[in-house]
Amino acid sequence: MITVTGLVKKHGPNTILKGISFKVRKGEVHAVIGPSGGGKSTFLRCINGLEQFQGGTVRVGEHVLTPATDPRRDAQLLEAVRRRTGFVFQQFNLFPHLTVLENVIEAPVHVLRLSRETAVERARALLDRVGLTAKQDAYPRGLSGGQQQRVAIARALVMEPESILFDEPTSALDPVMAGEILSLMADLARDGQTMIVVTHSMSFARNVADQVHVFADGYDVECGPPSGVFEEPQHPTTQAFLTQTARD
Amino acid sequence: MLLILYVLACLLAPQTARADALAEMRKDGRLLWGGDQEGGGPYVFPRPDDPARVTGFEVDFAARLGEYLKLEAVFTQGQWDRMPDMLRTRKIHAIINGYEFTPERAEVMEASIPYYVYALQLMARKDDSAINSWDDLRKGQRGAKLKIGALTGSAAESYVRRFCAGLCEVVSYDGNTDSMREVETGKLRATVQDTPIASFYGSRFPALRRIGEPVARGYYVVYVRKGETALLQAINEAIVLMVRNGDLERIYRSYGIWDEQQTELADIVDKGRFYGYYKAADAKVEKNRMPAREDVQAGTRKRGWRVVKDYGGILLQSAGMTVILSTISFPLAILLGLLVAVGRLYGPRWLRLPLAGYVEFLRGTPLMLQLYFLFFFLPEIGVAVPAFWTGILGLAVNYSAYEAEIYRAGLQAVPKGQMEAALSLGMPRGMALRRIVVPQAVRIVIPPVVNDYIALFKDTSVCSVVTIVELTKRFSVLSMSTQATIELMAMTAILYLLMSYPMSLLSGRIEQRLGLEQAA
């Protein structure tokens, strides 16, 4: 469903990603962990074309992004990729001038061109699922961080994407709210939602993910099922990282 | 840049008159003559009983001239020192506005024979015994030079400057009667005025007296475009008839400005001696059909509530023009500014530099200059925009540069994550801008934009340079002819306040509402 091959991303003199290859099949949950600055978020942003890259390819379904992909010239290609891959941001990025319901129906109405009624119907169902039916007419500023992130997840889900990319979705939240979001994500995973999750939550990676990747210094240094990565880490960086997080 | 364009236009524009103006005028049936009613009495000034219309000896002269030419004389308001530009760009057919004959002007325009012989009159306070002749001006008092007032750019100003030669100080005023008032209040010791003004406004300034005989006589002439000899000939013949038939004497007497100097008019007509004058000796003398009329007098100065009652209506009407100008031009400015800002931030690379240039050029040059450019340059390259739309266009384009900068700041203040969130939902960039980024920027910039609206509102007064009469211009015109400056100033200020304060209130309300919406 998503196949990344030899992805290289440079930023000025620094090389952020040094040849990442990555394959996600339908229904799989991949967790990306590792020390800060390892290129986890950049990797995620390259998959849905928010960042251009300098080497390798990203294949989403039949669509292929390459270093030659131009944000203006290939706008339609990027839009097609983005419709298949939802994105959930660390900072939520809800639209502050729209109510909760309007945030959720914005893209279905204007991008998918669904009728307003259909969009509202879908949105209500999702808001119900994330437990925010009562807040549908509130504006984002009136919501707690956890509530905002739940709206953001509903906003991504309403497009019915084949996969959802989560970019540290709980890093801006306190532990209680983070827990709510993580259990919501675990729910989605149980329902077979394909996901790539960049996270600092070791418990999520250990308990929910099918595959765990450890990113360090621009490399995917170790990957495999959580049991392998967590119980018998092979790479010294992984060992150091796991020891570090265990101490926290 | 303006200069280059101008030079270019001069090279491109046809130098000779395109067609015989007189033939065109005959078809149209109108003689458009230019003057500035701000100049005041007795030339062209608002009628005391109906300030929306003009009167003055030049209004009567032009009307009579029209009768002889079998054309309807139509007054066209313009700024006094811009008359030659209006003539050149075909906004008027003739200048009739106390324009003195000078060889320099006769180089670039055709001058008719004189219709009035003026001279310069020195005036001082009645109770000022120290000034009894021109020579007294040079004496000074207790080592200080005496201050003498004159109209900016007039023959009187250059004459008195030459006369003083450093021994007295010349102060220039924009209005005819400003310096008479200043002498009355004691700020100036004396003023030099053209004889028609001294005669007409004598009664308004009872504390002043004339010093000595008028000096430095000169001629008011009609100017038409260079090369339009047929029109010039027709005007000259009409003036000859007006002199011989006694039309001029009749008109001038009714304004109290006929004096013995005017006998020279007959002399010029009979002997045919004047620069560039086609002798019209065989012009037929008609019997004078001019009806007798009552004398027009400046009378005494109106004061207090009388001014409010008589001129409140016309000021209010002019305030309407101010409102119309600002309410049409500002939305255009906002739209244009938004497009420029979006283009600079999100447009293709090749577009960014020209747009930056657009903003810098418009912000870096005065609005007045831009309006001149639109009004006097566009006709040269064949684009004639009416004065009203020139004003709208000039204001909209000028303010669009400021709005563009405000919007640029507003757009940049919208967090980058908003665009990314919209894109990640599969929106095209344009839609993301339109639906997500711009609506947020608009909310951010409401206070500075409203601020600019109030600024534009007051800047509409600059439109008077392209002959639009709005509130400020009306104030100048009325205060020049009535001298009731304080009352008119107060009324004008109150009108501006009444119009701009509600906008401040409205913006406060909008801000509050949007603030609530986002905090709810």
Side-chain angles (χ1 to χ4, degrees):
Chain A
M1 180 170 280
I2 296 177
T3 310
V4 178
T5 317
L7 185 66
V8 175
K9 165 76 186 176
K10 291 178 181 160
H11 192 270
N14 304 320
T15 304
I16 316 287
L17 299 173
K18 299 171 180 166
I20 305 274
S21 294
F22 202 112
K23 201 172 171 77
V24 180
R25 288 183 198 81
K26 189 166 165 54
E28 285 181 349
V29 176
H30 287 241
V32 180
I33 61 173
S36 297
K40 305 185 296 287
S41 290
T42 306
F43 169 71
L44 218 52
R45 291 162 60 85
C46 285
I47 294 179
N48 81 336
L50 284 181
E51 301 271 358
Q52 287 176 268
F53 48 87
Q54 282 70 39
T57 56
V58 171
R59 180 184 293 274
V60 177
E62 71 271 29
H63 306 288
V64 182
L65 304 182
T66 69
T69 305
D70 181 86
R72 279 168 207 287
R73 222 171 346 100
D74 304 312
Q76 287 188 329
L77 168 65
L78 288 167
E79 286 155 29
V81 167
R82 287 166 185 157
R83 278 200 293 272
R84 282 153 188 268
T85 54
F87 203 99
V88 175
F89 296 84
Q90 181 179 344
Q91 297 297 336
F92 331 131
N93 291 350
L94 292 184
F95 306 134
H97 61 300
L98 301 177
T99 64
V100 165
L101 185 67
E102 287 165 348
N103 261 277
V104 180
I105 65 169
E106 178 70 18
V109 169
H110 292 99
V111 177
L112 301 180
R113 307 203 170 278
L114 297 183
S115 72
R116 209 184 149 79
E117 293 74 43
T118 316
V120 169
E121 204 176 301
R122 267 201 208 181
R124 287 229 171 96
L126 286 167
L127 287 175
D128 184 43
R129 173 158 190 191
V130 301
L132 284 173
T133 307
K135 291 282 187 186
Q136 69 169 37
D137 293 321
Y139 283 91
R141 265 188 215 175
L143 268 51
S144 72
Q147 290 171 326
Q148 289 195 47
Q149 194 60 299
R150 281 189 274 161
V151 176
I153 291 171
R155 184 175 69 175
L157 283 172
V158 77
M159 298 296 283
E160 299 182 342
E162 291 167 5
S163 57
I164 301 186
L165 313 177
F166 289 86
D167 184 8
E168 303 194 20
T170 57
S171 298
L173 300 173
D174 67 39
V176 177
M177 290 184 186
E180 289 173 11
I181 297 299
L182 290 170
S183 69
L184 174 59
M185 287 163 62
D187 258 13
L188 294 176
R190 250 194 308 284
D191 294 351
Q193 176 71 53
T194 312
M195 305 195 281
I196 302 178
V197 184
V198 169
T199 185
H200 289 297
S201 166
M202 293 306 125
S203 65
F204 181 86
R206 189 190 295 265
N207 301 325
V208 183
D210 301 306
Q211 292 278 316
V212 177
H213 302 253
V214 183
F215 274 35
D217 195 27
Y219 294 104
D220 185 355
V221 294
E222 187 158 2
C223 75
S227 53
V229 173
F230 283 101
E231 309 310 332
E232 297 161 32
Q234 304 297 309
H235 197 279
T237 311
T238 315
Q239 293 160 1
F241 177 69
L242 290 177
T243 317
Q244 179 68 33
T245 49
R247 222 182 284 145
D248 287 340
Chain B
M1 186 165 171
L2 272 177
L3 196 73
I4 297 167
L5 287 171
Y6 180 78
V7 170
L8 217 69
C10 290
L11 291 175
L12 294 175
Q15 287 298 308
T16 48
R18 269 160 281 187
D20 182 11
L22 190 58
E24 270 175 35
M25 290 157 71
R26 292 244 179 272
K27 242 181 269 166
D28 187 40
R30 295 193 306 170
L31 162 66
L32 300 178
W33 64 280
D36 189 350
Q37 50 178 322
E38 189 174 341
Y43 304 83
V44 182
F45 59 104
R47 283 174 60 146
D49 56 332
D50 180 7
R53 292 165 61 199
V54 290
T55 182
F57 79 86
E58 287 176 335
V59 177
D60 292 356
F61 167 72
R64 192 74 181 125
L65 181 65
E67 282 175 36
Y68 279 107
L69 298 177
K70 305 206 165 45
L71 295 168
E72 184 198 352
V74 178
F75 168 70
T76 306
Q77 167 65 32
Q79 199 161 268
W80 190 77
D81 53 355
R82 289 290 140 189
M83 287 295 152
D85 290 325
M86 295 192 51
L87 190 62
R88 194 166 41 80
T89 53
R90 304 180 161 260
K91 292 177 174 34
I92 52 176
H93 299 124
I95 302 172
I96 305 176
N97 202 205
Y99 256 62
E100 306 96 342
F101 175 86
T102 65
E104 293 79 17
R105 284 181 184 149
E107 283 293 308
V108 293
M109 299 179 283
E110 303 286 358
S112 74
I113 59 171
Y115 60 86
Y116 191 83
V117 183
Y118 75 93
L120 302 179
Q121 178 67 56
L122 181 64
M123 300 176 92
R125 266 195 318 281
K126 277 180 182 156
D127 58 6
D128 189 347
S129 56
I131 298 180
N132 290 303
S133 71
W134 276 83
D135 287 330
D136 290 339
L137 297 180
R138 288 173 163 166
K139 285 181 184 153
Q141 203 161 36
R142 279 178 248 120
K145 294 176 190 171
L146 298 185
K147 287 186 178 177
I148 324 294
L151 177 67
T152 310
S154 67
E157 185 196 20
S158 51
Y159 179 84
V160 72
R161 271 190 205 288
R162 258 197 325 269
F163 177 83
C164 282
L167 295 170
C168 42
E169 187 186 338
V170 181
V171 184
S172 304
Y173 288 86
D174 280 336
N176 266 336
T177 57
D178 286 351
S179 55
M180 290 168 88
R181 193 180 55 233
E182 298 284 86
V183 174
E184 212 175 43
T185 59
K187 264 168 88 177
L188 298 173
R189 287 301 286 276
T191 175
V192 179
Q193 296 286 347
D194 285 15
T195 40
I197 300 169
S199 306
F200 188 70
Y201 281 120
S203 61
R204 283 272 176 86
F205 299 94
L208 301 188
R209 70 190 163 106
R210 299 172 177 222
I211 311 287
E213 288 298 307
V215 296
R217 89 171 37 178
Y219 308 95
Y220 294 152
V221 298
V222 179
Y223 285 104
V224 299
R225 262 188 297 279
K226 195 80 192 160
E228 291 189 343
T229 47
L231 176 59
L232 182 70
Q233 173 79 12
I235 290 175
N236 277 342
E237 283 176 14
I239 294 176
V240 167
L241 291 175
M242 279 193 266
V243 171
R244 292 203 177 139
N245 294 346
D247 292 329
L248 288 184
E249 180 171 353
R250 205 165 270 269
I251 292 171
Y252 297 160
R253 278 195 191 283
S254 74
Y255 287 90
I257 57 167
W258 178 266
D259 49 33
E260 63 269 33
Q261 293 177 118
Q262 306 313 321
T263 52
E264 195 190 341
L265 292 173
D267 196 39
I268 288 170
V269 163
D270 289 340
K271 303 216 174 83
R273 54 157 196 86
F274 198 75
Y275 179 96
Y277 167 44
Y278 293 75
K279 190 158 188 267
D282 51 348
K284 225 170 52 206
V285 176
E286 284 180 34
K287 244 187 135 189
N288 185 4
R289 284 174 287 113
M290 186 91 170
R293 52 172 292 175
E294 306 221 329
D295 282 5
V296 182
Q297 279 179 356
T300 50
R301 213 181 297 181
K302 289 180 187 173
R303 279 272 166 232
W305 291 112
R306 182 75 202 282
V307 177
V308 177
K309 196 170 133 277
D310 286 1
Y311 298 112
I314 186 86
L315 277 178
L316 202 63
Q317 211 177 325
S318 310
M321 176 54 94
T322 295
V323 170
I324 290 170
L325 281 173
S326 52
T327 47
I328 298 182
S329 61
F330 198 62
L332 290 174
I334 286 184
L335 194 69
L336 210 55
L338 185 58
L339 291 176
V340 170
V342 168
R344 278 189 79 177
L345 286 177
Y346 301 100
R349 219 159 279 282
W350 58 264
L351 189 63
R352 295 184 190 180
L353 195 68
L355 288 179
Y358 173 90
V359 169
E360 291 311 325
F361 178 74
L362 289 168
R363 284 200 311 175
T365 56
L367 172 59
M368 193 171 82
L369 214 61
Q370 293 164 18
L371 285 169
Y372 276 149
F373 175 81
L374 290 175
F375 198 56
F376 294 119
F377 169 77
L378 288 187
E380 307 245 10
I381 54 169
V383 187
V385 186
F388 176 75
W389 291 106
T390 304
I392 297 281
L393 188 68
L395 286 169
V397 168
N398 179 266
Y399 269 78
S400 74
Y402 295 93
E403 300 325 293
E405 284 305 276
I406 292 177
Y407 272 112
R408 200 159 70 100
L411 288 167
Q412 281 173 331
V414 176
K416 233 177 106 215
Q418 291 293 311
M419 177 54 110
E420 290 184 347
L423 289 179
S424 75
L425 287 167
M427 286 194 188
R429 269 181 107 73
M431 184 192 286
L433 273 176
R434 204 173 63 245
R435 300 220 29 107
I436 304 301
V437 179
V438 170
Q440 293 183 52
V442 167
R443 286 161 167 80
I444 293 170
V445 301
I446 284 175
V449 164
V450 170
N451 201 37
D452 262 12
Y453 186 40
I454 295 174
L456 171 132
F457 188 70
K458 291 178 292 181
D459 264 356
T460 52
S461 62
V462 182
C463 287
S464 64
V465 302
V466 294
T467 76
I468 296 172
V469 180
E470 40 60 64
L471 187 50
T472 299
K473 176 70 175 180
R474 183 67 71 187
F475 156 73
S476 310
V477 167
L478 291 176
S479 85
M480 228 34 98
S481 65
T482 64
Q483 283 83 39
T485 310
I486 301 293
E487 292 90 338
L488 291 167
M489 209 179 330
M491 286 160 71
T492 304
I494 289 170
L495 280 173
Y496 271 115
L497 261 178
L498 283 179
M499 293 187 287
S500 65
Y501 186 59
M503 285 191 294
S504 301
L505 285 183
L506 185 70
S507 95
R509 288 276 282 282
I510 293 172
E511 250 177 86
Q512 207 178 16
R513 216 197 68 195
L514 292 174
L516 285 177
E517 171 185 302
Q518 301 206 344

